[in-house]
Amino acid sequence: MHGLMMDTPLVISSILRHADRNHGEREIVSVTADNPRHRYRYSDLCGRARQLANALARFGLSRGDRVGTLAWNDYRHLEAYYGIGGAGYVCHTINPRLFPEQIAFIIKHAGDRVLLTDPMFLPLLEKLAGHIGCVEQFIVLTDDALMPSTTLANAVSYESFIGSESSEYLWPELDEKDAVALCYTSGTTGDPKGVLYNHRSQVLHAYACIAPDVMGLSSRDCVLPVVPLFHVNAWGIPYSALMVGAKLVLPGPKMGDGETLYTLMEGEGVTVSLGVPTVWMALLQYCDKAGKRLNKLQRTVIGGAAVPESMIRAFRDKHDVLVHQGWGMTEMSPLGTLNSLKANMQELSAEDKLKIQTKAGRGIYGVEMRIVDDEQNELPWDGVAYGALQVRGPWICSDYFRLDGSAGAHTDDGWFETGDVATIDAEGFMAITDRTKDVIKSGGEWISSIEIENVAMGHASVAEAAVIGVPHPKWTERPLLIVIKAEGKDVSKDEMLAWLDGKIAKWWLPEDVVFVDEIPHTATGKIKKIELRRQFAEYRIPA
Ligand code: ADP
């Protein structure tokens, strides 16, 4: 027997309608290339998203057509999320930090018919023009007065594209399982793969994100996503912030700039901010140098890569800011776990709390996790056993766009292989020890590169640390520690090893320490281990 409840579809236009009705006055502040503080209200966003939807319909798009975006975090990009997705098209966000060939590949693979771009990416697109013939219309995110000259055929300014359209528009009644957004993985191995989100997955994901034990967002918050709108839905913020009516601050092209972030946070009263560890390094370094304290910020959500203990400590001790570590991936919309302490942990000492905070976090309702060994046997949640991490749930991809099962990322019983290796403790807190492909196997046992990196980063003279496996005649592989020294600081190999000694298992101690000026990063700010291994391919452990 069916229950007797309305069959109201979970579609993203419902979030916009709710925001318009209930929080129309709420402010959105953006930094754009030509305006250091653009301000408008939710109601303006909603009206302009409807204008964009009208303009795209007039252009002749059909349901399910892809519209690409190549843009930083600002109000026009946010309008695109709703104007495209809400109208039944697919908003395909593209990471401008990818290699140009990868950008061309994914535009073609997605079959983008229209492409919205920030003016600064025009030279890149002009070079790619011969390879992306599917794009019929380029829309430059600016107005006619600031429109740069371009060799691209069919390029118009965004303001002229939407300017004469009505702000009246009736959002179509879509099926909640219709596609709404598309984001490609960064493709560190092989071609990038497209993850195609649907309305239902995004609404449920946003709903989960706002919960108190997850991101705890409310109408009293002011949110600054430093995580880009072009990568994995900016961790759901475009949807979750509007669901609750939080003030939004969008840093535009200034995302990696510590001073800009600080000024925005203090000036706009930012209470929550989200981003990968590298951006927080920039902010913390700026604050140290300039002798500034974060007075308004209450908490940060940090994920995308392991969060060094020293970072959690610096936020706590210098700024009284609580760090919530999160874990997820493109294929998971992205949220999988979030680290918030349980009731029985409230009385722990500050140091014991910190130990828990260095873990990736605990499961949230909507994502089921398990760890398995090589024979697919489930491993215990004891904080010791580690194995391949698998997940399932309504905001986790069931396949990749236009690959029809060939990527082989799912188990026979329908779980998604994350490609991460992890432990889960008795309280349900998961900790990532490595990517499957980065695992160091020494004498048949795994060594966690992430844990060694984390301890190394705690040394005051270390700016950044990475650990890779290098060949060893007896043990197959041994860990090599690669370090960038902090500005104006010095540290020797022996001092580094002495620092690690006693903080990690004895047999995990790196075989050698090398100092470098630079460590390669992926387009999403993670250490590029593949590239590091290539750089150290000729390296031999000293006899
Ligand atoms: P990509 O496009 O490279 O897949 P993602 O943002 O999807 O980019 O990367 C997801 C991966 O990032 C995860 O599978 C995991 O390896 C890593 N990651 C994310 N959060 C954490 C974390 N808190 N600790 C350790 N690794 C993390």
Side-chain angles (χ1 to χ4, degrees):
M1 180 166 68
H2 277 164
L4 295 170
M5 288 291 131
M6 289 186 192
D7 198 10
T8 312
L10 303 174
V11 292
I12 63 142
S13 56
S14 68
I15 302 176
L16 200 73
R17 279 207 312 269
H18 168 83
D20 201 8
R21 256 279 148 112
N22 296 279
H23 305 284
E25 293 302 311
R26 208 58 168 127
E27 209 181 11
I28 299 173
V29 183
S30 305
V31 177
T32 67
D34 45 76
N35 188 344
R37 287 292 183 283
H38 174 276
R39 290 172 192 281
Y40 74 177
R41 298 164 308 167
Y42 271 25
S43 54
D44 301 311
L45 166 80
C46 298
R48 284 166 54 88
R50 292 190 294 263
Q51 282 181 285
L52 175 59
N54 275 321
L56 291 170
R58 185 183 306 278
F59 176 78
L61 288 189
S62 306
R63 289 263 174 97
D65 279 350
R66 273 77 60 208
V67 178
T69 66
L70 202 50
W72 298 108
N73 289 12
D74 69 25
Y75 65 101
R76 290 190 182 106
H77 202 176
L78 189 61
E79 290 165 9
Y81 263 67
Y82 284 99
I84 298 167
Y89 317 123
V90 177
C91 182
H92 169 209
T93 53
I94 304 165
N95 184 343
R97 295 189 185 124
L98 294 174
F99 291 121
E101 311 80 67
Q102 284 184 321
I103 293 179
F105 171 88
I106 66 176
I107 291 173
K108 263 191 309 191
H109 190 268
D112 294 330
R113 288 187 61 192
V114 175
L115 188 65
L116 275 57
T117 177
D118 271 346
M120 69 168 74
F121 303 123
L122 279 175
L124 167 75
L125 290 170
E126 286 167 357
K127 279 198 206 108
L128 297 181
H131 305 280
I132 49 172
C134 54
V135 180
E136 299 159 46
Q137 179 74 58
F138 292 93
I139 299 172
V140 187
L141 294 162
T142 188
D143 57 22
D144 277 350
L146 293 166
M147 175 79 178
S149 68
T150 172
T151 58
L152 288 175
N154 306 330
V156 293
S157 79
Y158 178 81
E159 296 303 332
S160 68
F161 186 71
I162 69 165
S164 55
E165 300 294 338
S166 164
S167 60
E168 300 286 312
Y169 176 84
L170 204 57
W171 297 106
E173 298 256 329
L174 302 171
D175 181 334
E176 64 179 20
K177 296 209 173 133
D178 282 347
V180 66
L182 176 64
C183 180
Y184 281 71
T185 63
S186 47
T188 40
T189 50
D191 285 329
K193 298 190 280 290
V195 179
L196 189 62
Y197 311 100
N198 61 30
H199 285 263
R200 176 182 144 85
S201 69
Q202 293 313 281
V203 171
L204 290 174
H205 177 264
Y207 234 139
C209 284
I210 60 181
D213 263 359
V214 186
M215 295 184 189
L217 299 180
S218 81
S219 61
R220 293 161 301 281
D221 275 314
C222 173
V223 185
L224 192 163
V226 195
V227 48
L229 287 170
F230 59 69
H231 193 57
V232 220
N233 316 304
W235 300 358
I237 291 298
Y239 306 125
S240 53
L242 266 71
M243 260 184 191
V244 298
K247 176 177 171 181
L248 265 176
V249 180
L250 304 171
K254 294 287 199 174
M255 302 208 297
D257 179 41
E259 182 171 4
T260 304
L261 291 181
Y262 179 83
T263 314
L264 282 171
M265 285 176 177
E266 290 296 296
E268 302 300 332
V270 172
T271 56
V272 192
S273 188
L274 311 90
V276 296
T278 32
V279 305
W280 302 119
M281 274 187 225
L283 178 69
L284 289 170
Q285 272 163 15
Y286 167 78
C287 290
D288 277 352
K289 258 196 187 153
K292 307 262 191 202
R293 186 177 182 278
L294 294 160
N295 299 302
K296 310 267 173 70
L297 191 67
Q298 297 166 1
R299 55 198 199 278
T300 59
V301 178
I302 313 184
V307 184
E309 186 192 289
S310 51
M311 182 172 282
I312 304 174
R313 200 184 283 281
F315 270 117
R316 183 192 72 184
D317 296 346
K318 296 181 182 169
H319 304 282
D320 197 17
V321 169
L322 182 63
V323 170
H324 292 288
Q325 179 158 185
W327 163 84
M329 56 199 307
T330 308
E331 288 89 337
M332 301 176 65
S333 298
L335 201 66
T337 62
L338 197 113
N339 197 317
S340 65
L341 300 184
K342 288 178 161 179
N344 60 346
M345 297 167 176
Q346 299 305 315
E347 303 307 321
L348 292 177
S349 72
E351 284 308 287
D352 285 344
K353 283 183 181 164
L354 196 94
K355 276 203 194 81
I356 300 172
Q357 284 177 286
T358 60
K359 300 195 172 195
R362 60 188 164 95
I364 54 183
Y365 175 73
V367 178
E368 266 183 280
M369 292 191 288
R370 70 180 184 192
I371 41 175
V372 299
D373 65 14
D374 289 347
E375 280 76 47
Q376 295 293 309
N377 301 309
E378 239 196 276
L379 294 168
W381 289 23
D382 59 7
V384 180
Y386 46 84
L389 178 62
Q390 301 175 341
V391 290
R392 65 176 181 190
W395 57 82
I396 295 163
C397 76
S398 59
D399 202 351
Y400 291 100
F401 185 48
R402 293 179 162 166
L403 281 183
D404 297 331
S406 61
H410 292 81
T411 63
D412 292 341
D413 58 347
W415 290 67
F416 176 74
E417 298 269 16
T418 63
D420 285 324
V421 178
T423 60
I424 306 177
D425 68 20
E427 295 279 6
F429 283 70
M430 185 273 284
I432 302 279
T433 59
D434 260 310
R435 293 289 289 168
T436 323
K437 52 186 186 289
D438 296 335
V439 150
I440 304 171
K441 213 157 192 187
S442 178
E445 295 284 344
W446 282 351
I447 292 179
S448 166
S449 63
I450 290 184
E451 208 171 316
I452 307 176
E453 285 160 8
N454 194 356
V455 176
M457 294 275 287
H459 193 289
S461 299
V462 174
E464 197 171 8
V467 172
I468 54 168
V470 287
H472 188 280
K474 180 165 174 203
W475 303 109
T476 322
E477 265 191 331
R478 292 291 301 151
L480 170 70
L481 173 61
I482 300 159
V483 167
I484 304 179
K485 290 180 192 170
E487 218 181 300
K489 298 271 177 61
D490 201 17
V491 58
S492 69
K493 168 183 165 180
D494 289 342
E495 284 164 344
M496 233 21 261
L497 292 176
W499 169 259
L500 296 171
D501 198 7
K503 298 188 180 80
I504 53 174
K506 199 130 204 125
W507 63 278
W508 286 20
L509 277 181
E511 216 57 33
D512 195 8
V513 184
V514 292
F515 297 94
V516 296
D517 295 328
E518 219 179 308
I519 288 177
H521 287 96
T522 68
T524 48
K526 293 172 227 258
I527 296 174
K528 209 173 182 175
K529 296 263 171 107
I530 286 194
E531 174 64 18
L532 261 188
R533 281 195 292 269
R534 207 185 49 74
Q535 284 177 13
F536 283 86
E538 301 301 314
Y539 170 89
R540 291 293 167 265
I541 295 166

mmCIF file of all heavy atoms in Angstrom, residues 419-446:
data_model
loop_
_atom_site.group_PDB
_atom_site.id
_atom_site.type_symbol
_atom_site.label_atom_id
_atom_site.label_comp_id
_atom_site.label_asym_id
_atom_site.label_seq_id
_atom_site.Cartn_x
_atom_site.Cartn_y
_atom_site.Cartn_z
ATOM 1 N N GLY A 419 38.601 4.464 -4.478
ATOM 2 C CA GLY A 419 40.029 4.577 -4.799
ATOM 3 C C GLY A 419 40.835 5.061 -3.608
ATOM 4 O O GLY A 419 42.031 5.322 -3.720
ATOM 5 N N ASP A 420 40.190 5.178 -2.457
ATOM 6 C CA ASP A 420 40.895 5.555 -1.232
ATOM 7 C C ASP A 420 41.073 4.329 -0.344
ATOM 8 O O ASP A 420 40.268 3.396 -0.379
ATOM 9 C CB ASP A 420 40.089 6.610 -0.446
ATOM 10 C CG ASP A 420 40.174 7.983 -1.086
ATOM 11 O OD1 ASP A 420 41.246 8.326 -1.616
ATOM 12 O OD2 ASP A 420 39.168 8.717 -1.063
ATOM 13 N N VAL A 421 42.132 4.378 0.465
ATOM 14 C CA VAL A 421 42.367 3.353 1.472
ATOM 15 C C VAL A 421 42.143 4.013 2.825
ATOM 16 O O VAL A 421 42.617 5.134 3.050
ATOM 17 C CB VAL A 421 43.807 2.811 1.373
ATOM 18 C CG1 VAL A 421 44.062 1.776 2.455
ATOM 19 C CG2 VAL A 421 44.059 2.231 -0.001
ATOM 20 N N ALA A 422 41.405 3.340 3.718
ATOM 21 C CA ALA A 422 41.005 4.019 4.952
ATOM 22 C C ALA A 422 40.872 3.059 6.123
ATOM 23 O O ALA A 422 40.759 1.846 5.949
ATOM 24 C CB ALA A 422 39.674 4.731 4.724
ATOM 25 N N THR A 423 40.871 3.645 7.327
ATOM 26 C CA THR A 423 40.464 2.933 8.533
ATOM 27 C C THR A 423 39.154 3.575 9.009
ATOM 28 O O THR A 423 38.891 4.741 8.694
ATOM 29 C CB THR A 423 41.488 3.091 9.684
ATOM 30 O OG1 THR A 423 41.597 4.488 9.996
ATOM 31 C CG2 THR A 423 42.860 2.561 9.302
ATOM 32 N N ILE A 424 38.359 2.826 9.744
ATOM 33 C CA ILE A 424 37.171 3.402 10.385
ATOM 34 C C ILE A 424 37.204 2.928 11.842
ATOM 35 O O ILE A 424 37.394 1.742 12.103
ATOM 36 C CB ILE A 424 35.865 2.939 9.709
ATOM 37 C CG1 ILE A 424 35.893 3.217 8.196
ATOM 38 C CG2 ILE A 424 34.663 3.643 10.349
ATOM 39 C CD1 ILE A 424 34.670 2.717 7.431
ATOM 40 N N ASP A 425 37.046 3.861 12.795
ATOM 41 C CA ASP A 425 37.134 3.441 14.198
ATOM 42 C C ASP A 425 35.749 3.102 14.756
ATOM 43 O O ASP A 425 34.729 3.238 14.066
ATOM 44 C CB ASP A 425 37.886 4.482 15.045
ATOM 45 C CG ASP A 425 37.114 5.788 15.200
ATOM 46 O OD1 ASP A 425 35.882 5.797 15.006
ATOM 47 O OD2 ASP A 425 37.757 6.821 15.519
ATOM 48 N N ALA A 426 35.739 2.655 15.999
ATOM 49 C CA ALA A 426 34.505 2.152 16.599
ATOM 50 C C ALA A 426 33.434 3.241 16.715
ATOM 51 O O ALA A 426 32.241 2.951 16.780
ATOM 52 C CB ALA A 426 34.810 1.555 17.973
ATOM 53 N N GLU A 427 33.850 4.518 16.733
ATOM 54 C CA GLU A 427 32.888 5.632 16.798
ATOM 55 C C GLU A 427 32.406 6.026 15.406
ATOM 56 O O GLU A 427 31.627 6.964 15.261
ATOM 57 C CB GLU A 427 33.540 6.853 17.462
ATOM 58 C CG GLU A 427 33.917 6.642 18.922
ATOM 59 C CD GLU A 427 32.720 6.804 19.863
ATOM 60 O OE1 GLU A 427 31.583 6.968 19.380
ATOM 61 O OE2 GLU A 427 32.937 6.761 21.092
ATOM 62 N N GLY A 428 32.947 5.351 14.371
ATOM 63 C CA GLY A 428 32.529 5.653 12.992
ATOM 64 C C GLY A 428 33.363 6.717 12.317
ATOM 65 O O GLY A 428 33.001 7.177 11.222
ATOM 66 N N PHE A 429 34.453 7.135 12.941
ATOM 67 C CA PHE A 429 35.314 8.147 12.312
ATOM 68 C C PHE A 429 36.255 7.465 11.324
ATOM 69 O O PHE A 429 36.978 6.538 11.672
ATOM 70 C CB PHE A 429 36.131 8.923 13.363
ATOM 71 C CG PHE A 429 35.317 9.959 14.077
ATOM 72 C CD1 PHE A 429 34.331 9.585 14.966
ATOM 73 C CD2 PHE A 429 35.524 11.313 13.844
ATOM 74 C CE1 PHE A 429 33.561 10.536 15.629
ATOM 75 C CE2 PHE A 429 34.765 12.270 14.495
ATOM 76 C CZ PHE A 429 33.774 11.888 15.391
ATOM 77 N N MET A 430 36.236 7.957 10.092
ATOM 78 C CA MET A 430 37.041 7.389 9.018
ATOM 79 C C MET A 430 38.302 8.224 8.854
ATOM 80 O O MET A 430 38.259 9.457 8.998
ATOM 81 C CB MET A 430 36.190 7.392 7.741
ATOM 82 C CG MET A 430 36.801 6.729 6.538
ATOM 83 S SD MET A 430 37.828 7.856 5.611
ATOM 84 C CE MET A 430 36.609 8.842 4.779
ATOM 85 N N ALA A 431 39.419 7.557 8.584
ATOM 86 C CA ALA A 431 40.667 8.274 8.300
ATOM 87 C C ALA A 431 41.260 7.718 7.018
ATOM 88 O O ALA A 431 41.352 6.499 6.844
ATOM 89 C CB ALA A 431 41.655 8.112 9.449
ATOM 90 N N ILE A 432 41.596 8.609 6.099
ATOM 91 C CA ILE A 432 42.199 8.179 4.833
ATOM 92 C C ILE A 432 43.687 7.938 5.081
ATOM 93 O O ILE A 432 44.367 8.795 5.650
ATOM 94 C CB ILE A 432 42.065 9.285 3.764
ATOM 95 C CG1 ILE A 432 40.595 9.658 3.537
ATOM 96 C CG2 ILE A 432 42.752 8.887 2.471
ATOM 97 C CD1 ILE A 432 39.851 8.741 2.645
ATOM 98 N N THR A 433 44.168 6.777 4.662
ATOM 99 C CA THR A 433 45.611 6.554 4.794
ATOM 100 C C THR A 433 46.319 6.814 3.465
ATOM 101 O O THR A 433 47.476 7.206 3.462
ATOM 102 C CB THR A 433 45.928 5.127 5.270
ATOM 103 O OG1 THR A 433 45.398 4.205 4.329
ATOM 104 C CG2 THR A 433 45.307 4.842 6.620
ATOM 105 N N ASP A 434 45.652 6.632 2.351
ATOM 106 C CA ASP A 434 46.249 6.849 1.033
ATOM 107 C C ASP A 434 45.221 6.726 -0.077
ATOM 108 O O ASP A 434 44.136 6.209 0.143
ATOM 109 C CB ASP A 434 47.340 5.795 0.756
ATOM 110 C CG ASP A 434 48.724 6.344 1.004
ATOM 111 O OD1 ASP A 434 49.002 7.421 0.474
ATOM 112 O OD2 ASP A 434 49.497 5.710 1.737
ATOM 113 N N ARG A 435 45.634 7.170 -1.278
ATOM 114 C CA ARG A 435 44.934 6.754 -2.484
ATOM 115 C C ARG A 435 45.449 5.354 -2.810
ATOM 116 O O ARG A 435 46.629 5.077 -2.597
ATOM 117 C CB ARG A 435 45.276 7.671 -3.671
ATOM 118 C CG ARG A 435 44.799 9.084 -3.567
ATOM 119 C CD ARG A 435 43.321 9.239 -3.704
ATOM 120 N NE ARG A 435 42.833 9.002 -5.058
ATOM 121 C CZ ARG A 435 41.537 8.860 -5.347
ATOM 122 N NH1 ARG A 435 40.645 8.907 -4.364
ATOM 123 N NH2 ARG A 435 41.138 8.665 -6.587
ATOM 124 N N THR A 436 44.594 4.485 -3.337
ATOM 125 C CA THR A 436 45.034 3.128 -3.677
ATOM 126 C C THR A 436 46.302 3.173 -4.514
ATOM 127 O O THR A 436 47.242 2.420 -4.288
ATOM 128 C CB THR A 436 43.933 2.396 -4.481
ATOM 129 O OG1 THR A 436 42.679 2.784 -3.965
ATOM 130 C CG2 THR A 436 44.085 0.909 -4.380
ATOM 131 N N LYS A 437 46.323 4.131 -5.473
ATOM 132 C CA LYS A 437 47.466 4.142 -6.385
ATOM 133 C C LYS A 437 48.706 4.806 -5.789
ATOM 134 O O LYS A 437 49.775 4.739 -6.374
ATOM 135 C CB LYS A 437 47.076 4.786 -7.731
ATOM 136 C CG LYS A 437 46.433 6.144 -7.627
ATOM 137 C CD LYS A 437 45.963 6.595 -9.023
ATOM 138 C CE LYS A 437 45.451 8.013 -9.010
ATOM 139 N NZ LYS A 437 44.157 8.203 -8.324
ATOM 140 N N ASP A 438 48.581 5.405 -4.611
ATOM 141 C CA ASP A 438 49.741 6.039 -3.968
ATOM 142 C C ASP A 438 50.290 5.214 -2.808
ATOM 143 O O ASP A 438 51.269 5.594 -2.168
ATOM 144 C CB ASP A 438 49.358 7.423 -3.411
ATOM 145 C CG ASP A 438 48.967 8.384 -4.506
ATOM 146 O OD1 ASP A 438 49.424 8.172 -5.651
ATOM 147 O OD2 ASP A 438 48.215 9.330 -4.226
ATOM 148 N N VAL A 439 49.638 4.091 -2.547
ATOM 149 C CA VAL A 439 50.015 3.289 -1.384
ATOM 150 C C VAL A 439 51.478 2.846 -1.446
ATOM 151 O O VAL A 439 51.983 2.501 -2.500
ATOM 152 C CB VAL A 439 49.079 2.048 -1.316
ATOM 153 C CG1 VAL A 439 49.765 0.877 -0.683
ATOM 154 C CG2 VAL A 439 47.803 2.401 -0.582
ATOM 155 N N ILE A 440 52.163 2.908 -0.297
ATOM 156 C CA ILE A 440 53.551 2.446 -0.221
ATOM 157 C C ILE A 440 53.531 1.078 0.445
ATOM 158 O O ILE A 440 53.008 0.934 1.553
ATOM 159 C CB ILE A 440 54.404 3.418 0.624
ATOM 160 C CG1 ILE A 440 54.313 4.830 0.039
ATOM 161 C CG2 ILE A 440 55.853 2.944 0.696
ATOM 162 C CD1 ILE A 440 54.941 5.888 0.918
ATOM 163 N N LYS A 441 54.068 0.080 -0.245
ATOM 164 C CA LYS A 441 54.054 -1.263 0.320
ATOM 165 C C LYS A 441 55.482 -1.651 0.678
ATOM 166 O O LYS A 441 56.327 -1.785 -0.193
ATOM 167 C CB LYS A 441 53.434 -2.246 -0.675
ATOM 168 C CG LYS A 441 52.684 -3.326 0.031
ATOM 169 C CD LYS A 441 51.630 -3.968 -0.848
ATOM 170 C CE LYS A 441 50.726 -4.832 0.027
ATOM 171 N NZ LYS A 441 49.784 -5.620 -0.700
ATOM 172 N N SER A 442 55.728 -1.809 1.962
ATOM 173 C CA SER A 442 57.076 -2.087 2.441
ATOM 174 C C SER A 442 57.070 -3.425 3.169
ATOM 175 O O SER A 442 56.365 -3.575 4.166
ATOM 176 C CB SER A 442 57.513 -0.959 3.380
ATOM 177 O OG SER A 442 58.784 -1.208 3.895
ATOM 178 N N GLY A 443 57.831 -4.381 2.644
ATOM 179 C CA GLY A 443 57.866 -5.711 3.266
ATOM 180 C C GLY A 443 56.481 -6.307 3.395
ATOM 181 O O GLY A 443 56.166 -6.961 4.373
ATOM 182 N N GLY A 444 55.614 -6.031 2.413
ATOM 183 C CA GLY A 444 54.270 -6.610 2.397
ATOM 184 C C GLY A 444 53.258 -5.849 3.246
ATOM 185 O O GLY A 444 52.087 -6.178 3.267
ATOM 186 N N GLU A 445 53.698 -4.806 3.951
ATOM 187 C CA GLU A 445 52.772 -4.019 4.795
ATOM 188 C C GLU A 445 52.608 -2.613 4.232
ATOM 189 O O GLU A 445 53.553 -2.055 3.665
ATOM 190 C CB GLU A 445 53.349 -3.906 6.213
ATOM 191 C CG GLU A 445 53.467 -5.215 6.957
ATOM 192 C CD GLU A 445 52.137 -5.722 7.490
ATOM 193 O OE1 GLU A 445 51.179 -4.925 7.559
ATOM 194 O OE2 GLU A 445 52.062 -6.913 7.817
ATOM 195 N N TRP A 446 51.438 -2.041 4.427
ATOM 196 C CA TRP A 446 51.194 -0.696 3.939
ATOM 197 C C TRP A 446 51.704 0.367 4.911
ATOM 198 O O TRP A 446 51.551 0.234 6.122
ATOM 199 C CB TRP A 446 49.704 -0.479 3.708
ATOM 200 C CG TRP A 446 49.221 -1.096 2.435
ATOM 201 C CD1 TRP A 446 49.998 -1.637 1.448
ATOM 202 C CD2 TRP A 446 47.866 -1.245 2.021
ATOM 203 N NE1 TRP A 446 49.205 -2.120 0.439
ATOM 204 C CE2 TRP A 446 47.899 -1.891 0.756
ATOM 205 C CE3 TRP A 446 46.643 -0.902 2.563
ATOM 206 C CZ2 TRP A 446 46.742 -2.188 0.040
ATOM 207 C CZ3 TRP A 446 45.487 -1.201 1.852
ATOM 208 C CH2 TRP A 446 45.538 -1.832 0.607
#
